[in-house]
Amino acid sequence: MPSKLDDKELESLTVNGIGEVTPGMKVEHPLFGLGEVEAIFEFIKSGENTIRINFEKHGSKALVPEYANLTIPKEKKPSFFGKLFKK
């Protein structure tokens, strides 16, 4: 009999607002900033999902996708100086 905390890892998950999320994908959170998806889990007993994200400045966090307000980060265009001094 599975316990309340038994889970299985998923290869992908569709999240409202950003579409299909997979491990390795870059995402942005309003409080934690930029991060990379490490893993996606579904709890067997409840069917609820969590996404573990490693944030650049805040470390690894497990978030419930429905409440996390995740977005896809916008690509930053290189500045004039970035282009000028590109190595």
Side-chain angles (χ1 to χ4, degrees):
M1 178 173 165
S3 77
K4 188 175 182 178
L5 298 178
D6 285 342
D7 59 27
K8 65 178 177 178
E9 193 166 347
L10 304 176
E11 292 183 17
S12 67
L13 178 69
T14 301
V15 177
N16 288 339
I18 61 173
E20 188 173 1
V21 175
T22 58
M25 183 175 179
K26 300 286 185 186
V27 293
E28 190 167 9
H29 183 270
L31 179 62
F32 301 129
L34 293 173
E36 183 175 320
V37 176
E38 293 180 316
I40 304 165
F41 297 99
E42 177 182 3
F43 291 102
I44 295 170
K45 196 167 187 178
S46 67
E48 294 176 353
N49 298 308
T50 61
I51 299 176
R52 191 174 67 228
I53 303 169
N54 187 12
F55 292 100
E56 292 176 354
K57 296 182 180 177
H58 296 278
S60 188
K61 307 276 185 206
L63 304 175
V64 177
E66 292 85 13
Y67 304 110
N69 296 318
L70 298 172
T71 57
I72 303 293
K74 294 179 177 73
E75 284 193 37
K76 296 179 183 176
K77 294 181 181 179
S79 68
F80 171 75
F81 291 108
K83 290 179 185 176
L84 186 63
F85 296 108
K86 185 176 180 182
K87 295 181 180 180

